[in-house]
Amino acid sequence: TSPCGRPKGVTPKYSLKPLVPRLSELLGVDVVMANDCIGEEVEKLATALPDGGVLLLENVRFYKEEEKNDPEFAKKLASVADLYELDYLVGAVANPKTPFAAIVGGSKVSTKIGVIESLLSKVDILILGGGMIYTFYKAQGHAVGKSLVEEDKLELANSLIEKAKSKGVSLLLPTDIVVADNFAADAESKAIAKKLADITAKGVTTIIGGGDSVAAVEKAGLASKMSHISTGGGASLELLEGKTLPGVLSLDNA
């Protein structure tokens, strides 16, 4: 199963059913599709699944409980499976190949504090991009014009820079910016996606997480060039922060 879009209840255009033909082709088996992601029908289909069979569950976001991290909903999801594959995300962070680098973007530092602080204890190189860089620039005394700045996060920005230095982490900010009359929101993302695709071809492991980042890579037509694309949306970032996710906890308890 997977989240898809932001549906308000069951919404046909966000169904995962269109994935069945392509998924069957890629896996070389006839993928069975359930009409739900929890419940009696799902349990029966899972029980009847032969060795090597594949069952695709419906969009988990058809339930409002998914985005609310509802523990009971998580238990129902976990009840039909014995193993949940988290190796790429958990393994990459727990036992990373070195040098280990992370790229974090976003318009505001405040929404990425947890991820940045968590990564500073794990990575060798941390690259920051997006609108948040102007808060770091101003904190360092640079002029930023009318660019977006979180005035109440200047001290935090400086503390993150100092924390990176104390841990021996290379915290990299863009060395130049482009001044324009309008803003092409995906310009930076396209360039980064292209570079990531290039280094993946040279043997580097690349993992894309976070809804906006995944969407940008897919829009650039480069998703298939990456090592792994997380479909967990913001949950993948919460996992990197070290937060306990109800779905994962339910699986652990099971």
Side-chain angles (χ1 to χ4, degrees):
T1 187
S2 174
C4 179
R6 300 284 183 183
K8 303 298 182 184
V10 178
T11 311
K13 76 172 184 176
Y14 291 119
S15 173
L16 301 185
K17 289 179 181 177
L19 302 180
V20 172
R22 180 57 173 158
L23 194 56
S24 297
E25 179 185 344
L26 291 171
L27 298 177
V29 299
D30 290 328
V31 174
V32 178
M33 177 76 198
N35 293 316
D36 208 331
C37 61
I38 58 173
E40 188 176 340
E41 181 208 1
V42 171
E43 293 172 3
K44 287 181 178 179
L45 288 172
T47 301
L49 203 64
D51 289 343
V54 177
L55 172 63
L56 177 63
L57 307 184
E58 188 53 279
N59 189 348
V60 291
R61 285 199 175 148
F62 285 173
Y63 286 88
K64 64 181 183 297
E65 292 86 351
E66 189 273 338
E67 291 197 81
K68 292 182 178 180
N69 281 335
D70 183 89
E72 291 305 312
F73 177 69
K75 287 179 182 178
K76 292 177 183 178
L77 276 175
S79 67
V80 295
D82 299 315
L83 176 68
Y84 192 79
E85 183 59 65
L86 290 171
D87 280 356
Y88 256 103
L89 285 174
V90 177
V93 175
N95 301 293
K97 295 179 181 178
T98 57
F100 180 23
I103 303 173
V104 179
S107 60
K108 296 181 178 180
V109 183
S110 56
T111 62
K112 296 294 190 298
I113 295 172
V115 174
I116 293 173
E117 290 188 329
S118 177
L119 288 172
L120 282 176
S121 64
K122 301 176 176 70
V123 303
D124 302 296
I125 304 166
L126 180 59
I127 303 168
L128 301 183
M132 76 166 79
I133 64 172
Y134 297 106
T135 299
F136 284 87
Y137 284 157
K138 186 164 185 179
Q140 293 177 304
H142 299 300
V144 296
K146 296 181 179 179
S147 299
L148 176 65
V149 172
E150 290 183 278
E151 297 287 349
D152 61 337
K153 295 294 183 290
L154 298 179
E155 187 175 331
L156 171 66
N158 275 326
S159 71
L160 291 173
I161 292 171
E162 290 304 314
K163 183 177 287 188
K165 289 179 181 177
S166 69
K167 291 180 176 293
V169 175
S170 295
L171 192 155
L172 305 179
L173 295 167
T175 56
D176 199 2
I177 58 173
V178 175
V179 178
D181 294 328
N182 55 64
F183 180 63
D186 59 351
E188 180 183 40
S189 298
K190 283 183 177 178
I192 293 173
K194 179 64 169 62
K195 185 62 178 179
L196 290 175
D198 291 343
I199 64 174
T200 304
K202 296 177 181 178
V204 174
T205 298
T206 52
I207 301 171
I208 311 299
D212 291 338
S213 298
V214 171
V217 169
E218 290 177 340
K219 186 177 180 180
L222 296 169
S224 63
K225 304 295 184 182
M226 307 300 168
S227 305
H228 179 70
I229 299 289
S230 169
T231 61
S236 62
L237 301 182
E238 292 184 18
L239 191 65
L240 290 178
E241 283 185 52
K243 290 184 178 179
T244 299
L245 304 183
V248 178
L249 180 61
S250 294
L251 290 162
D252 289 341
N253 292 338

